[in-house]
Amino acid sequence: MFKSITLGQYYQTDSILHRLDPRVKLSATLLYIVALFVVNSFPGYLFAGIFLVCMIRLSHVPFSYMVRGMKAILFLLLLTMTFNLFLTPGEPLVQFWKLTITREGLSTAIMMAVRLSFLVIGSSLMTLTTTPTQLTDAMEAMMNPFKRIHMPVHEIAMMMSIALRFIPILMEETDKIMKAQMARGADFDSKNLMKKIQSMIPLLVPLFVSAFRRANDLAMAMEARCYRGGEGRTKMKPLVYQGRDRIAYVILFAFFAACIAFRATSHMVPFPLGALS
Amino acid sequence: MSLTIEDISFTYETGTAMQVTALDHISAEIPDNQFIGLIGHTGSGKSTLVQMLNGLLKPTSGRILYKGADIHADNFDRKNLRAKVGLVFQYPEHQLFEADVISDVMFGPKNLGLSQEECQRRAHAALRSVGMDKKFYEKSPFDLSGGEKRRVAIAGVLAMHPEILILDEPTAGLDPRGRDEILGLISEMKNRMNMTIILVSHSMDDVAEYVDRIMVMNRSHLVYDDTPARVFTHYRELEEMGLSAPQVTYIMQYLKEQGLPVSTEIFTLEEAAAEILAHRRELHV
Ligand SMILES: Nc1ncnc2c1ncn2[C@@H]1O[C@H](COP(=O)(O)OP(=O)(O)OP(=O)(O)O)[C@@H](O)[C@H]1O
Ligand SMILES: [Mg+2]
């Protein structure tokens, strides 16, 4: 029942994107997000969209997985669109009751929707092709310069990787406890809000107990293996850039440069809607 | 006929790379008042199968009938079914949540909408039948030992008065003494309460002594479904599945191969001793 959440979940398969260095993928995602705010014209978004579709094809992850991540933000998406649609001042297009849709409003709404969707799909693409462990490795490596200013980079990365590791475990546990309580007649789909809150107690208490037990076991196991923080710690699989990673960086910067070029040559109206009026 | 399993299959995470077929075209009948052992190697689909029986999981194909009615029909009362088919999960002690033992056991009956007195009466009876003393009733379930917690969890399902009681690996993680206690308890309950019990395990030694019927699962298939004696004649095939016949069966088999005409349909130490003693004469020649 929790398996439908894909945002932040890894999809196991073999593809060039899966084999890419996680640092490349992390930088690519950040750069892509920035690029989405750099471009501001229809051709620019088309270009960013084509780039995204190519990456999805390269990743061998079924497209339906990307769309499932979208479900989580559907509400936010609709809300943003509605506000932009009705509240942007400008040249009126359609008018009914007290609401006015302006040309600028329609144009901004579409632009926001496109940006937000690309942003979410782009970041799910990274998490779908990168294991949480690889991701935190990449973060640790990329935050390394901050060690100079005494930022506990290793500790932050370790905490993140543990937290990420525990998400699927706790989800599985939730599923199990829910089933066990349902076998005792518990009702989790009650429509009544009060009852719904009450029905959470038999789920949450065992879940917390189990989370603390696991945390305790893990701490013990780490101590038993003499873990004492990042000082002088080496890695079994250190991150090393390969040829393909360098090529990926080149493609990435070319993409970003193209986005800047689109920006420089565009007019300010993102979607030319002249045909509509 | 209480439960009928009609050609069910089940797949986890259909349509993804992690797709697993956990059950593959399984059919069986679960009659009243029978003690059944469900055996299989790790990952063979035992837990998945038992979750089908009380409607927690819905088969991808096939049907499950309770007294002739399809349990996934729209108008079927699945909550009532869960009272009739009691399921004790693997490591059931992880589901305890109340402040004291007695309230935890009363959780099931309360969900059935029974009165406070009736819930209490049932909880007391259930705790008594799992051998938990009155002095535990007010204790926090989190302060009990592992074996005691498990008994309380079993009582929590018993208090719903199921017709069929399913126990998923009730001996997992217990020491030999705790194991014998739980198994003894279950077989005693079976005799006293006339219910059908399905005991899930991956050890033949656990179930051989007690059960009337053994169902063997292997890689999501139901491969044998017969009396213990007849299932154990396949001990070579069982070994290939990572299972084995009870240890005494091997001894009897060996003795027979060595020329002692003993019966090989023997699964308990006592029977084995008696059988060997009965052939004492031949032993000396
Ligand atoms: N929630 C789940 N999601 C995905 N796959 C699952 C899930 N639960 C079980 N499986 C898979 O289904 C198969 C059967 O699992 P099941 O739990 O029924 O086995 P089992 O016979 O009970 O094993 P064990 O003796 O270890 O308890 C296994 O291959 C398992 O990996
Ligand atoms: Mg199991």
Side-chain angles (χ1 to χ4, degrees):
Chain A
M1 40 193 93
F2 291 93
K3 296 281 155 70
S4 50
I5 306 167
T6 51
L7 201 68
Q9 283 211 341
Y10 181 63
Y11 183 91
Q12 175 104 42
T13 180
D14 188 33
S15 78
I16 175 84
L17 280 200
H18 283 75
R19 271 174 275 141
L20 227 47
D21 190 289
R23 283 172 293 180
V24 180
K25 285 186 271 187
L26 192 60
S27 330
T29 310
L30 294 177
L31 210 59
Y32 187 72
I33 292 173
V34 174
L36 283 179
F37 288 90
V38 167
V39 293
N40 62 348
S41 61
F42 178 71
Y45 283 111
L46 188 68
F47 177 64
I50 291 171
F51 182 74
L52 190 59
V53 169
C54 292
M55 289 303 131
I56 293 174
R57 294 304 297 271
L58 275 181
S59 74
H60 295 174
V61 179
F63 189 70
S64 63
Y65 264 76
M66 314 282 164
V67 184
R68 262 193 249 175
M70 290 290 298
K71 270 189 209 156
I73 62 141
L74 196 63
F75 178 71
L76 185 69
L77 193 68
L78 288 178
L79 200 72
T80 323
M81 278 189 78
T82 320
F83 274 118
N84 276 302
L85 202 55
F86 292 115
L87 298 179
T88 316
E91 184 188 332
L93 264 185
V94 192
Q95 207 161 8
F96 57 93
W97 192 46
K98 282 180 184 163
L99 300 169
T100 318
I101 298 179
T102 61
R103 174 182 298 200
E104 285 77 4
L106 185 59
S107 157
T108 333
I110 297 177
M111 182 188 72
M112 288 306 267
V114 169
R115 250 187 206 170
L116 212 57
S117 323
F118 283 6
L119 196 148
V120 169
I121 294 178
S123 2
S124 342
L125 188 59
M126 172 182 68
T127 51
L128 283 165
T129 56
T130 320
T131 62
T133 339
Q134 287 177 330
L135 206 57
T136 41
D137 274 358
M139 280 185 189
E140 189 174 354
M142 292 174 81
M143 288 197 301
N144 233 348
F146 295 110
K147 269 189 184 159
R148 290 243 188 81
I149 55 164
H150 297 288
M151 201 162 116
V153 170
H154 170 80
E155 281 71 18
I156 292 173
M158 178 57 90
M159 268 173 357
M160 275 193 49
S161 73
I162 291 174
L164 285 172
R165 181 68 197 85
F166 266 57
I167 290 172
I169 293 179
L170 287 181
M171 276 203 208
E172 210 170 280
E173 192 92 6
T174 311
D175 194 48
K176 235 186 240 166
I177 296 170
M178 233 165 151
K179 278 186 186 159
Q181 305 299 26
M182 274 159 81
R184 293 208 279 165
D187 188 1
F188 289 106
D189 344 288
S190 174
K191 297 269 183 299
N192 182 327
L193 186 68
M194 238 6 246
K195 276 200 183 140
K196 201 164 187 130
I197 294 171
Q198 266 179 4
S199 74
M200 286 292 122
I201 296 171
L203 173 63
L204 291 181
V205 174
L207 195 61
F208 273 104
V209 171
S210 129
F212 280 117
R213 189 183 53 238
R214 280 176 197 282
N216 214 353
D217 289 353
L218 182 68
M220 204 92 92
M222 283 168 78
E223 232 166 89
R225 288 168 177 74
C226 303
Y227 176 80
R228 44 173 69 241
E231 207 71 20
R233 202 173 153 82
T234 54
K235 286 210 170 358
M236 187 160 101
K237 290 181 190 158
L239 294 173
V240 181
Y241 283 123
Q242 309 286 319
R244 55 170 177 258
D245 299 315
R246 294 194 188 96
I247 296 171
Y249 270 130
V250 171
I251 295 174
L252 195 61
F253 285 118
F255 164 77
F256 196 68
C259 285
I260 293 175
F262 273 113
R263 168 90 184 215
T265 57
S266 82
H267 324 286
M268 274 318 283
V269 184
F271 289 91
L273 293 164
L276 270 176
S277 58
Chain B
M1 208 57 71
S2 280
L3 272 176
T4 311
I5 304 168
E6 261 186 19
D7 197 30
I8 59 168
S9 299
F10 185 75
T11 311
Y12 282 107
E13 323 226 2
T14 322
T16 73
M18 290 82 80
Q19 181 167 331
V20 187
T21 301
L23 298 175
D24 200 350
H25 295 282
I26 288 180
S27 297
E29 298 277 356
I30 313 290
D32 288 329
N33 202 7
Q34 193 177 44
F35 199 162
I36 304 171
L38 178 59
I39 313 290
H41 192 54
T42 292
S44 56
K46 309 180 293 289
S47 299
T48 310
L49 180 61
V50 295
Q51 285 172 46
M52 293 280 160
L53 300 183
N54 71 351
L56 279 176
L57 291 177
K58 189 176 176 194
T60 318
S61 72
R63 296 193 305 167
I64 294 175
L65 309 176
Y66 174 72
K67 296 199 200 299
D70 186 343
I71 66 167
H72 287 287
D74 287 337
N75 55 356
F76 190 87
D77 183 1
R78 272 182 293 282
K79 206 165 163 184
N80 185 47
L81 175 75
R82 290 187 191 139
K84 297 292 173 219
V85 183
L87 173 56
V88 180
F89 271 78
Q90 225 161 337
Y91 296 101
E93 55 272 26
H94 293 173
Q95 77 198 31
L96 302 174
F97 70 97
E98 280 282 10
D100 52 48
V101 166
I102 188 90
S103 329
D104 206 282
V105 178
M106 280 163 63
F107 179 68
K110 259 192 199 152
N111 285 329
L112 298 180
L114 302 171
S115 71
Q116 180 76 12
E117 294 80 56
E118 175 65 9
C119 291
Q120 217 143 27
R121 212 181 48 71
R122 283 190 176 195
H124 282 238
L127 281 167
R128 221 175 305 124
S129 54
V130 297
M132 289 295 283
D133 225 32
K134 262 214 168 62
K135 67 170 192 247
F136 290 110
Y137 290 7
E138 308 301 326
K139 266 195 165 178
S140 160
F142 299 105
D143 291 341
L144 303 178
S145 78
E148 288 162 351
K149 275 186 197 161
R150 193 160 298 181
R151 285 159 185 247
V152 172
I154 294 175
V157 172
L158 266 187
M160 298 176 78
H161 289 189
E163 291 167 5
I164 301 177
L165 178 65
I166 307 171
L167 299 125
D168 196 349
E169 308 218 13
T171 58
L174 294 182
D175 60 7
R177 171 136 161 248
R179 191 202 94 157
D180 288 344
E181 278 173 8
I182 291 275
L183 289 176
L185 194 82
I186 292 166
S187 89
E188 185 222 340
M189 268 174 354
K190 160 79 185 63
N191 295 333
R192 194 153 36 87
M193 299 186 202
N194 287 329
M195 52 183 172
T196 289
I197 291 189
I198 302 179
L199 180 62
V200 180
S201 176
H202 49 237
S203 152
M204 287 291 185
D205 284 293
D206 266 8
V207 300
E209 259 185 70
Y210 307 104
V211 302
D212 309 318
R213 166 179 169 195
I214 289 183
M215 295 165 77
V216 179
M217 299 270 312
N218 186 37
R219 296 184 185 188
S220 55
H221 292 272
L222 181 62
V223 278
Y224 300 116
D225 181 1
D226 217 326
T227 60
R230 266 184 272 167
V231 169
F232 294 146
T233 57
H234 301 283
Y235 66 98
R236 289 212 172 81
E237 289 92 333
L238 288 175
E239 270 169 18
E240 273 163 32
M241 299 171 200
L243 300 166
S244 59
Q247 285 166 7
V248 285
T249 311
Y250 284 96
I251 297 176
M252 302 312 274
Q253 207 84 39
Y254 178 78
L255 288 175
K256 191 163 186 184
E257 275 165 26
Q258 295 300 311
L260 195 68
V262 289
S263 160
T264 50
E265 299 193 350
I266 277 171
F267 331 112
T268 69
L269 220 51
E270 291 76 24
E271 283 176 325
E275 179 74 9
I276 294 172
L277 286 177
H279 291 86
R280 204 165 19 196
R281 290 250 168 69
E282 290 124 278
L283 260 180
H284 285 296
V285 292

